[in-house]
Amino acid sequence: MKKSKLSSRSAEGRGSAGASTPRVAVAIMAAGKGTRLKSQLPKVLHEVGGKPLLEHVIRAAAQIVPAKDVYAIIGHEAERVRRAMAHTGVNFVLQAEQRGTGHALIVAGEALSGYDHVIVLSGDAPLITVETIRWLRDFHLQEQAAMTLLSAELENPTGYGRVLRRNPRSAEVQRIVEEKAATSSQKKIREINSGFYVFSAKDLYGNIGKLSTDNAHAEYYLTDMAEVLCKAHRRVVAWKTSNPSEVLGGNTRAELADIDEKMRLAKCRQLMADGVTVFYPTTCVIDADVEIAPDTVIEPYVQLLGNTKIGAECRVRSYCVIRDSEIGDGVMVRPGCVMEGAKIGTGAILGPYSHLRPGSEIGEGAHVGNFVETKKIKLGKGSKANHLSYLGDAEIGAGVNIGAGTITCNYDGVNKHTTVIEDGVFVGSDSTLVAPIRVGKGAYIAAASCITSDLPPDSLGLGRAQQVVKEGWAKRKRAEVSKR
Ligand code: UD1
Ligand code: CA
């Protein structure tokens, strides 16, 4: 595409006060119910790649124009969709009654007719790339078209609208025929309408009143704008993408699974290209925003979710589920760990089967072992809690040894209280620490102690019943039982 042609085109300054660049809005159609999903959840909130369908599309749109020029057209469960997408900063237009894709644009007319061009995206087609939307926009501007549609050649075009070109070599389109209205010869056409368009706002809104509901669904079809504009002697063109999988829509659960798989594989490929080893990528579930530094190894059957960040030279072994956590360099995560909202220091060793709940901060080189649950704790540098413990609401210093079976009793039935364990403390196995409590630096807690009051530094805390020994007791007992 020649840049010069584009800039000379935009220099003509359509509409707005002689501005040199056209004013472009993006409209995202997201009001439909998604009947084919058989779900209480609105279609566009169904997730692929760890995010709602609509959020993927909004993200792409917001890279084309500022969020203030993006309009999500919502209708079915509108409040729920609005709440879920509020953080994106885009505008919402309410299509209270969903009377078709054409009707969606009619309803948005007030918001959109002040722009020069409107890019229309489908809220249920999240694989669309920013590059393709840019190409489509630029092609539209270059062709000086009233309507430009993105088409794709599909192996199996069933269910999609088909593109009827004036002649096979021309970019010009005569009309789009929906599957239900297509004749058997039209059904053989493999070039489909992707549901992505660019319109000149003046042509769209000057002619949208001509749409009718004379079709199988008794709806206003946006696709009919092709024929309407052709009849008005306006230019309608199609630009065919070379990557047809970009236009796939998630109309059914099976299609959602297909899109999800494509996204996750693409994510794994990107990570591998960036120097991360991913074994059996088809078994790993890695969300779009996850970041991993080079030379880290992800073993089979690992889930890395949300905003998880992993440093370099780590190893995440099989069956870990890690969400919204930050892992430093050189960390070993052994099999079966579950982590959420945790922060792990360089060189730490976790698992197998550790459960790190929100607010767990594990220090450099620290160890958290099997069947240890942590919540809202700081575990200092080089400290170890290797077996069978619950550590909650605790500040634990450096070089501390937490013996097997240690429990911080943080909850009194009403409130949560903090346990402070200073540097170098040794907590013997099977100890319970009843919070609020402070164990001073270098103190020593005897195994099986129940500690209920603070321990000064370097002291011994011993809180268990005195041992009693009764010589010969067991032998006498056995004899007595056998006589009965
Ligand atoms: C549409 C196209 C079809 C194209 C296909 C590509 C029409 C009539 N047909 O069919 O040519 O091949 O997309 O995927 O446009 N929506 C609203 N308001 C409504 C109705 C729908 O916002 O009143 C939204 C939906 O939420 C969805 C999008 O528009 O995100 C497309 O609607 P959908 O019903 O999925 O259209 P398709 O049957 O897929
Ligand atoms: Ca669709």
Side-chain angles (χ1 to χ4, degrees), residues 128-166:
I128 191 72
T129 62
V130 175
E131 294 71 44
T132 296
I133 304 171
R134 281 204 189 105
W135 275 104
L136 189 70
R137 174 199 62 194
D138 292 349
F139 185 72
H140 170 83
L141 296 174
Q142 195 176 59
E143 290 286 322
Q144 307 194 6
M147 173 180 184
T148 302
L149 62 98
L150 180 70
S151 72
E153 194 101 13
L154 292 191
E155 218 45 75
N156 176 12
T158 310
Y160 288 90
R162 310 296 206 285
V163 177
L164 307 188
R165 298 209 184 218
R166 274 195 196 282

mmCIF file of all heavy atoms in Angstrom, residues 128-166:
data_model
loop_
_atom_site.group_PDB
_atom_site.id
_atom_site.type_symbol
_atom_site.label_atom_id
_atom_site.label_comp_id
_atom_site.label_asym_id
_atom_site.label_seq_id
_atom_site.Cartn_x
_atom_site.Cartn_y
_atom_site.Cartn_z
ATOM 1 N N ILE A 128 -9.276 -11.243 15.540
ATOM 2 C CA ILE A 128 -8.920 -10.180 14.598
ATOM 3 C C ILE A 128 -7.669 -9.442 15.095
ATOM 4 O O ILE A 128 -7.535 -9.163 16.276
ATOM 5 C CB ILE A 128 -10.112 -9.204 14.395
ATOM 6 C CG1 ILE A 128 -9.856 -8.267 13.226
ATOM 7 C CG2 ILE A 128 -10.434 -8.428 15.661
ATOM 8 C CD1 ILE A 128 -9.941 -8.938 11.881
ATOM 9 N N THR A 129 -6.744 -9.161 14.185
ATOM 10 C CA THR A 129 -5.515 -8.489 14.606
ATOM 11 C C THR A 129 -5.561 -7.003 14.266
ATOM 12 O O THR A 129 -6.289 -6.579 13.359
ATOM 13 C CB THR A 129 -4.279 -9.092 13.917
ATOM 14 O OG1 THR A 129 -4.417 -8.889 12.512
ATOM 15 C CG2 THR A 129 -4.131 -10.569 14.223
ATOM 16 N N VAL A 130 -4.770 -6.255 15.001
ATOM 17 C CA VAL A 130 -4.676 -4.815 14.780
ATOM 18 C C VAL A 130 -4.194 -4.539 13.353
ATOM 19 O O VAL A 130 -4.698 -3.636 12.675
ATOM 20 C CB VAL A 130 -3.710 -4.208 15.818
ATOM 21 C CG1 VAL A 130 -3.482 -2.740 15.544
ATOM 22 C CG2 VAL A 130 -4.257 -4.416 17.219
ATOM 23 N N GLU A 131 -3.256 -5.359 12.873
ATOM 24 C CA GLU A 131 -2.710 -5.157 11.521
ATOM 25 C C GLU A 131 -3.817 -5.261 10.477
ATOM 26 O O GLU A 131 -3.906 -4.438 9.570
ATOM 27 C CB GLU A 131 -1.635 -6.201 11.187
ATOM 28 C CG GLU A 131 -0.361 -6.112 12.016
ATOM 29 C CD GLU A 131 -0.555 -6.547 13.459
ATOM 30 O OE1 GLU A 131 -1.215 -7.590 13.685
ATOM 31 O OE2 GLU A 131 -0.077 -5.849 14.378
ATOM 32 N N THR A 132 -4.658 -6.279 10.626
ATOM 33 C CA THR A 132 -5.726 -6.478 9.638
ATOM 34 C C THR A 132 -6.713 -5.316 9.658
ATOM 35 O O THR A 132 -7.137 -4.843 8.603
ATOM 36 C CB THR A 132 -6.435 -7.825 9.898
ATOM 37 O OG1 THR A 132 -5.471 -8.857 9.698
ATOM 38 C CG2 THR A 132 -7.599 -8.039 8.960
ATOM 39 N N ILE A 133 -7.054 -4.848 10.852
ATOM 40 C CA ILE A 133 -7.992 -3.710 10.923
ATOM 41 C C ILE A 133 -7.357 -2.490 10.246
ATOM 42 O O ILE A 133 -8.017 -1.762 9.502
ATOM 43 C CB ILE A 133 -8.371 -3.374 12.384
ATOM 44 C CG1 ILE A 133 -8.952 -4.607 13.081
ATOM 45 C CG2 ILE A 133 -9.375 -2.235 12.430
ATOM 46 C CD1 ILE A 133 -9.151 -4.436 14.591
ATOM 47 N N ARG A 134 -6.063 -2.279 10.465
ATOM 48 C CA ARG A 134 -5.370 -1.146 9.828
ATOM 49 C C ARG A 134 -5.386 -1.268 8.307
ATOM 50 O O ARG A 134 -5.661 -0.307 7.606
ATOM 51 C CB ARG A 134 -3.918 -1.062 10.307
ATOM 52 C CG ARG A 134 -3.797 -0.439 11.655
ATOM 53 C CD ARG A 134 -2.398 0.172 11.865
ATOM 54 N NE ARG A 134 -2.313 0.547 13.248
ATOM 55 C CZ ARG A 134 -1.615 -0.111 14.177
ATOM 56 N NH1 ARG A 134 -0.862 -1.141 13.822
ATOM 57 N NH2 ARG A 134 -1.638 0.268 15.428
ATOM 58 N N TRP A 135 -5.074 -2.494 7.828
ATOM 59 C CA TRP A 135 -5.086 -2.717 6.378
ATOM 60 C C TRP A 135 -6.454 -2.414 5.809
ATOM 61 O O TRP A 135 -6.580 -1.795 4.756
ATOM 62 C CB TRP A 135 -4.713 -4.170 6.046
ATOM 63 C CG TRP A 135 -3.247 -4.416 5.976
ATOM 64 C CD1 TRP A 135 -2.477 -5.039 6.910
ATOM 65 C CD2 TRP A 135 -2.352 -4.047 4.913
ATOM 66 N NE1 TRP A 135 -1.166 -5.071 6.498
ATOM 67 C CE2 TRP A 135 -1.062 -4.481 5.276
ATOM 68 C CE3 TRP A 135 -2.528 -3.391 3.693
ATOM 69 C CZ2 TRP A 135 0.053 -4.282 4.481
ATOM 70 C CZ3 TRP A 135 -1.412 -3.191 2.888
ATOM 71 C CH2 TRP A 135 -0.144 -3.628 3.280
ATOM 72 N N LEU A 136 -7.495 -2.870 6.510
ATOM 73 C CA LEU A 136 -8.858 -2.676 6.032
ATOM 74 C C LEU A 136 -9.191 -1.181 5.967
ATOM 75 O O LEU A 136 -9.732 -0.694 4.976
ATOM 76 C CB LEU A 136 -9.839 -3.409 6.958
ATOM 77 C CG LEU A 136 -11.289 -3.479 6.469
ATOM 78 C CD1 LEU A 136 -11.407 -4.398 5.266
ATOM 79 C CD2 LEU A 136 -12.218 -3.966 7.589
ATOM 80 N N ARG A 137 -8.819 -0.465 7.039
ATOM 81 C CA ARG A 137 -9.071 0.981 7.074
ATOM 82 C C ARG A 137 -8.323 1.673 5.944
ATOM 83 O O ARG A 137 -8.892 2.486 5.209
ATOM 84 C CB ARG A 137 -8.602 1.543 8.426
ATOM 85 C CG ARG A 137 -8.695 3.063 8.515
ATOM 86 C CD ARG A 137 -7.811 3.607 9.630
ATOM 87 N NE ARG A 137 -6.404 3.298 9.387
ATOM 88 C CZ ARG A 137 -5.455 3.403 10.303
ATOM 89 N NH1 ARG A 137 -5.742 3.804 11.528
ATOM 90 N NH2 ARG A 137 -4.200 3.121 10.003
ATOM 91 N N ASP A 138 -7.054 1.323 5.778
ATOM 92 C CA ASP A 138 -6.253 1.999 4.756
ATOM 93 C C ASP A 138 -6.769 1.688 3.350
ATOM 94 O O ASP A 138 -6.798 2.564 2.489
ATOM 95 C CB ASP A 138 -4.776 1.593 4.893
ATOM 96 C CG ASP A 138 -4.166 2.142 6.183
ATOM 97 O OD1 ASP A 138 -4.827 2.984 6.834
ATOM 98 O OD2 ASP A 138 -3.060 1.710 6.555
ATOM 99 N N PHE A 139 -7.185 0.438 3.128
ATOM 100 C CA PHE A 139 -7.743 0.043 1.833
ATOM 101 C C PHE A 139 -9.011 0.851 1.550
ATOM 102 O O PHE A 139 -9.220 1.361 0.447
ATOM 103 C CB PHE A 139 -8.048 -1.462 1.848
ATOM 104 C CG PHE A 139 -8.517 -2.009 0.526
ATOM 105 C CD1 PHE A 139 -7.629 -2.153 -0.538
ATOM 106 C CD2 PHE A 139 -9.838 -2.390 0.343
ATOM 107 C CE1 PHE A 139 -8.059 -2.672 -1.758
ATOM 108 C CE2 PHE A 139 -10.275 -2.909 -0.874
ATOM 109 C CZ PHE A 139 -9.377 -3.040 -1.927
ATOM 110 N N HIS A 140 -9.830 0.985 2.575
ATOM 111 C CA HIS A 140 -11.081 1.752 2.467
ATOM 112 C C HIS A 140 -10.801 3.207 2.072
ATOM 113 O O HIS A 140 -11.436 3.749 1.162
ATOM 114 C CB HIS A 140 -11.810 1.691 3.817
ATOM 115 C CG HIS A 140 -12.982 2.610 3.938
ATOM 116 N ND1 HIS A 140 -14.230 2.294 3.456
ATOM 117 C CD2 HIS A 140 -13.098 3.859 4.492
ATOM 118 C CE1 HIS A 140 -15.068 3.307 3.708
ATOM 119 N NE2 HIS A 140 -14.399 4.251 4.333
ATOM 120 N N LEU A 141 -9.810 3.818 2.740
ATOM 121 C CA LEU A 141 -9.504 5.220 2.454
ATOM 122 C C LEU A 141 -8.942 5.359 1.041
ATOM 123 O O LEU A 141 -9.316 6.256 0.292
ATOM 124 C CB LEU A 141 -8.509 5.767 3.485
ATOM 125 C CG LEU A 141 -9.016 5.823 4.934
ATOM 126 C CD1 LEU A 141 -7.905 6.249 5.885
ATOM 127 C CD2 LEU A 141 -10.219 6.767 5.060
ATOM 128 N N GLN A 142 -8.066 4.421 0.690
ATOM 129 C CA GLN A 142 -7.430 4.454 -0.621
ATOM 130 C C GLN A 142 -8.457 4.264 -1.746
ATOM 131 O O GLN A 142 -8.392 4.934 -2.766
ATOM 132 C CB GLN A 142 -6.420 3.311 -0.657
ATOM 133 C CG GLN A 142 -5.425 3.392 -1.772
ATOM 134 C CD GLN A 142 -4.432 2.236 -1.622
ATOM 135 O OE1 GLN A 142 -4.827 1.067 -1.621
ATOM 136 N NE2 GLN A 142 -3.175 2.556 -1.457
ATOM 137 N N GLU A 143 -9.411 3.368 -1.518
ATOM 138 C CA GLU A 143 -10.430 3.073 -2.532
ATOM 139 C C GLU A 143 -11.536 4.132 -2.554
ATOM 140 O O GLU A 143 -12.428 4.080 -3.396
ATOM 141 C CB GLU A 143 -11.071 1.702 -2.239
ATOM 142 C CG GLU A 143 -10.145 0.528 -2.471
ATOM 143 C CD GLU A 143 -9.937 0.241 -3.956
ATOM 144 O OE1 GLU A 143 -10.892 0.372 -4.740
ATOM 145 O OE2 GLU A 143 -8.795 -0.106 -4.320
ATOM 146 N N GLN A 144 -11.486 5.047 -1.598
ATOM 147 C CA GLN A 144 -12.527 6.070 -1.456
ATOM 148 C C GLN A 144 -13.904 5.410 -1.475
ATOM 149 O O GLN A 144 -14.824 5.860 -2.169
ATOM 150 C CB GLN A 144 -12.400 7.110 -2.557
ATOM 151 C CG GLN A 144 -10.987 7.681 -2.602
ATOM 152 C CD GLN A 144 -10.892 8.949 -3.444
ATOM 153 O OE1 GLN A 144 -11.880 9.497 -3.916
ATOM 154 N NE2 GLN A 144 -9.675 9.443 -3.599
ATOM 155 N N ALA A 145 -14.024 4.329 -0.714
ATOM 156 C CA ALA A 145 -15.256 3.545 -0.739
ATOM 157 C C ALA A 145 -16.272 4.078 0.263
ATOM 158 O O ALA A 145 -15.928 4.781 1.215
ATOM 159 C CB ALA A 145 -14.945 2.089 -0.414
ATOM 160 N N ALA A 146 -17.528 3.747 0.007
ATOM 161 C CA ALA A 146 -18.588 4.049 0.968
ATOM 162 C C ALA A 146 -18.628 2.934 2.020
ATOM 163 O O ALA A 146 -18.918 3.171 3.185
ATOM 164 C CB ALA A 146 -19.931 4.130 0.258
ATOM 165 N N MET A 147 -18.336 1.711 1.563
ATOM 166 C CA MET A 147 -18.345 0.544 2.452
ATOM 167 C C MET A 147 -17.243 -0.408 2.007
ATOM 168 O O MET A 147 -17.129 -0.700 0.821
ATOM 169 C CB MET A 147 -19.702 -0.164 2.363
ATOM 170 C CG MET A 147 -19.794 -1.489 3.112
ATOM 171 S SD MET A 147 -21.475 -2.201 2.908
ATOM 172 C CE MET A 147 -21.356 -3.650 3.945
ATOM 173 N N THR A 148 -16.445 -0.821 2.972
ATOM 174 C CA THR A 148 -15.404 -1.798 2.666
ATOM 175 C C THR A 148 -15.588 -2.942 3.629
ATOM 176 O O THR A 148 -15.707 -2.725 4.832
ATOM 177 C CB THR A 148 -14.002 -1.167 2.868
ATOM 178 O OG1 THR A 148 -13.911 -0.032 2.021
ATOM 179 C CG2 THR A 148 -12.892 -2.156 2.523
ATOM 180 N N LEU A 149 -15.632 -4.145 3.108
ATOM 181 C CA LEU A 149 -15.809 -5.268 4.029
ATOM 182 C C LEU A 149 -14.603 -6.185 3.973
ATOM 183 O O LEU A 149 -13.937 -6.299 2.952
ATOM 184 C CB LEU A 149 -17.106 -6.007 3.731
ATOM 185 C CG LEU A 149 -17.267 -6.671 2.367
ATOM 186 C CD1 LEU A 149 -16.954 -8.145 2.464
ATOM 187 C CD2 LEU A 149 -18.699 -6.455 1.886
ATOM 188 N N LEU A 150 -14.351 -6.798 5.112
ATOM 189 C CA LEU A 150 -13.265 -7.773 5.179
ATOM 190 C C LEU A 150 -13.863 -9.125 4.810
ATOM 191 O O LEU A 150 -14.845 -9.549 5.404
ATOM 192 C CB LEU A 150 -12.694 -7.816 6.596
ATOM 193 C CG LEU A 150 -11.540 -8.802 6.804
ATOM 194 C CD1 LEU A 150 -10.289 -8.318 6.081
ATOM 195 C CD2 LEU A 150 -11.245 -8.979 8.288
ATOM 196 N N SER A 151 -13.265 -9.759 3.826
ATOM 197 C CA SER A 151 -13.751 -11.088 3.456
ATOM 198 C C SER A 151 -12.655 -12.112 3.697
ATOM 199 O O SER A 151 -11.502 -11.758 3.957
ATOM 200 C CB SER A 151 -14.184 -11.112 1.988
ATOM 201 O OG SER A 151 -13.055 -11.065 1.141
ATOM 202 N N ALA A 152 -13.037 -13.373 3.641
ATOM 203 C CA ALA A 152 -12.070 -14.451 3.837
ATOM 204 C C ALA A 152 -12.535 -15.656 3.052
ATOM 205 O O ALA A 152 -13.736 -15.858 2.854
ATOM 206 C CB ALA A 152 -11.958 -14.797 5.320
ATOM 207 N N GLU A 153 -11.589 -16.424 2.583
ATOM 208 C CA GLU A 153 -11.911 -17.640 1.830
ATOM 209 C C GLU A 153 -11.868 -18.807 2.827
ATOM 210 O O GLU A 153 -10.810 -19.098 3.390
ATOM 211 C CB GLU A 153 -10.825 -17.824 0.758
ATOM 212 C CG GLU A 153 -11.177 -18.809 -0.298
ATOM 213 C CD GLU A 153 -11.645 -18.135 -1.596
ATOM 214 O OE1 GLU A 153 -11.470 -16.905 -1.747
ATOM 215 O OE2 GLU A 153 -12.185 -18.856 -2.439
ATOM 216 N N LEU A 154 -13.012 -19.405 3.080
ATOM 217 C CA LEU A 154 -13.045 -20.493 4.070
ATOM 218 C C LEU A 154 -13.253 -21.850 3.403
ATOM 219 O O LEU A 154 -14.011 -21.973 2.441
ATOM 220 C CB LEU A 154 -14.174 -20.277 5.085
ATOM 221 C CG LEU A 154 -14.075 -19.107 6.056
ATOM 222 C CD1 LEU A 154 -15.137 -19.234 7.139
ATOM 223 C CD2 LEU A 154 -12.697 -18.994 6.688
ATOM 224 N N GLU A 155 -12.574 -22.847 3.956
ATOM 225 C CA GLU A 155 -12.736 -24.228 3.503
ATOM 226 C C GLU A 155 -14.212 -24.613 3.613
ATOM 227 O O GLU A 155 -14.798 -25.154 2.690
ATOM 228 C CB GLU A 155 -11.884 -25.125 4.439
ATOM 229 C CG GLU A 155 -11.167 -26.274 3.792
ATOM 230 C CD GLU A 155 -10.461 -25.897 2.493
ATOM 231 O OE1 GLU A 155 -9.398 -25.237 2.531
ATOM 232 O OE2 GLU A 155 -10.993 -26.287 1.434
ATOM 233 N N ASN A 156 -14.794 -24.306 4.778
ATOM 234 C CA ASN A 156 -16.209 -24.574 4.999
ATOM 235 C C ASN A 156 -16.942 -23.273 5.338
ATOM 236 O O ASN A 156 -16.923 -22.812 6.470
ATOM 237 C CB ASN A 156 -16.356 -25.581 6.144
ATOM 238 C CG ASN A 156 -17.815 -25.822 6.479
ATOM 239 O OD1 ASN A 156 -18.722 -25.418 5.729
ATOM 240 N ND2 ASN A 156 -18.064 -26.463 7.609
ATOM 241 N N PRO A 157 -17.595 -22.681 4.342
ATOM 242 C CA PRO A 157 -18.221 -21.363 4.554
ATOM 243 C C PRO A 157 -19.614 -21.435 5.166
ATOM 244 O O PRO A 157 -20.251 -20.393 5.362
ATOM 245 C CB PRO A 157 -18.299 -20.817 3.119
ATOM 246 C CG PRO A 157 -18.448 -22.035 2.257
ATOM 247 C CD PRO A 157 -17.740 -23.167 2.957
ATOM 248 N N THR A 158 -20.069 -22.629 5.502
ATOM 249 C CA THR A 158 -21.446 -22.794 5.988
ATOM 250 C C THR A 158 -21.741 -21.872 7.179
ATOM 251 O O THR A 158 -20.950 -21.794 8.107
ATOM 252 C CB THR A 158 -21.690 -24.258 6.416
ATOM 253 O OG1 THR A 158 -21.245 -25.103 5.359
ATOM 254 C CG2 THR A 158 -23.159 -24.534 6.710
ATOM 255 N N GLY A 159 -22.870 -21.204 7.099
ATOM 256 C CA GLY A 159 -23.314 -20.359 8.205
ATOM 257 C C GLY A 159 -22.975 -18.884 8.021
ATOM 258 O O GLY A 159 -23.600 -18.024 8.630
ATOM 259 N N TYR A 160 -21.990 -18.599 7.196
ATOM 260 C CA TYR A 160 -21.578 -17.211 6.984
ATOM 261 C C TYR A 160 -22.320 -16.588 5.801
ATOM 262 O O TYR A 160 -22.836 -17.297 4.930
ATOM 263 C CB TYR A 160 -20.073 -17.145 6.684
ATOM 264 C CG TYR A 160 -19.199 -17.433 7.875
ATOM 265 C CD1 TYR A 160 -18.782 -18.727 8.166
ATOM 266 C CD2 TYR A 160 -18.791 -16.399 8.722
ATOM 267 C CE1 TYR A 160 -17.978 -18.996 9.255
ATOM 268 C CE2 TYR A 160 -17.981 -16.656 9.820
ATOM 269 C CZ TYR A 160 -17.577 -17.949 10.085
ATOM 270 O OH TYR A 160 -16.783 -18.215 11.169
ATOM 271 N N GLY A 161 -22.330 -15.250 5.777
ATOM 272 C CA GLY A 161 -22.825 -14.530 4.607
ATOM 273 C C GLY A 161 -21.800 -14.662 3.481
ATOM 274 O O GLY A 161 -20.600 -14.689 3.731
ATOM 275 N N ARG A 162 -22.278 -14.779 2.231
ATOM 276 C CA ARG A 162 -21.355 -14.911 1.087
ATOM 277 C C ARG A 162 -21.239 -13.579 0.339
ATOM 278 O O ARG A 162 -22.217 -12.825 0.231
ATOM 279 C CB ARG A 162 -21.834 -15.979 0.108
ATOM 280 C CG ARG A 162 -22.187 -17.303 0.730
ATOM 281 C CD ARG A 162 -20.998 -17.996 1.381
ATOM 282 N NE ARG A 162 -21.225 -19.439 1.399
ATOM 283 C CZ ARG A 162 -22.053 -20.056 2.225
ATOM 284 N NH1 ARG A 162 -22.710 -19.377 3.142
ATOM 285 N NH2 ARG A 162 -22.214 -21.360 2.156
ATOM 286 N N VAL A 163 -20.045 -13.350 -0.170
ATOM 287 C CA VAL A 163 -19.755 -12.097 -0.874
ATOM 288 C C VAL A 163 -20.006 -12.282 -2.374
ATOM 289 O O VAL A 163 -19.411 -13.165 -2.997
ATOM 290 C CB VAL A 163 -18.280 -11.690 -0.644
ATOM 291 C CG1 VAL A 163 -17.952 -10.420 -1.425
ATOM 292 C CG2 VAL A 163 -18.022 -11.490 0.848
ATOM 293 N N LEU A 164 -20.899 -11.475 -2.932
ATOM 294 C CA LEU A 164 -21.140 -11.517 -4.379
ATOM 295 C C LEU A 164 -20.418 -10.337 -5.018
ATOM 296 O O LEU A 164 -20.836 -9.185 -4.854
ATOM 297 C CB LEU A 164 -22.636 -11.450 -4.692
ATOM 298 C CG LEU A 164 -23.542 -12.469 -3.994
ATOM 299 C CD1 LEU A 164 -24.962 -12.403 -4.553
ATOM 300 C CD2 LEU A 164 -23.007 -13.894 -4.150
ATOM 301 N N ARG A 165 -19.313 -10.649 -5.708
ATOM 302 C CA ARG A 165 -18.533 -9.582 -6.362
ATOM 303 C C ARG A 165 -19.132 -9.300 -7.745
ATOM 304 O O ARG A 165 -19.782 -10.152 -8.334
ATOM 305 C CB ARG A 165 -17.081 -10.021 -6.515
ATOM 306 C CG ARG A 165 -16.386 -10.275 -5.186
ATOM 307 C CD ARG A 165 -14.896 -10.005 -5.317
ATOM 308 N NE ARG A 165 -14.192 -10.336 -4.075
ATOM 309 C CZ ARG A 165 -13.183 -9.607 -3.603
ATOM 310 N NH1 ARG A 165 -12.766 -8.529 -4.240
ATOM 311 N NH2 ARG A 165 -12.577 -9.971 -2.485
ATOM 312 N N ARG A 166 -18.833 -8.105 -8.249
ATOM 313 C CA ARG A 166 -19.293 -7.745 -9.605
ATOM 314 C C ARG A 166 -18.707 -8.715 -10.616
ATOM 315 O O ARG A 166 -19.378 -9.226 -11.480
ATOM 316 C CB ARG A 166 -18.855 -6.324 -9.954
ATOM 317 C CG ARG A 166 -19.837 -5.322 -9.451
ATOM 318 C CD ARG A 166 -19.627 -3.950 -10.077
ATOM 319 N NE ARG A 166 -20.343 -2.978 -9.273
ATOM 320 C CZ ARG A 166 -21.660 -2.817 -9.346
ATOM 321 N NH1 ARG A 166 -22.380 -3.515 -10.198
ATOM 322 N NH2 ARG A 166 -22.265 -1.948 -8.557
#
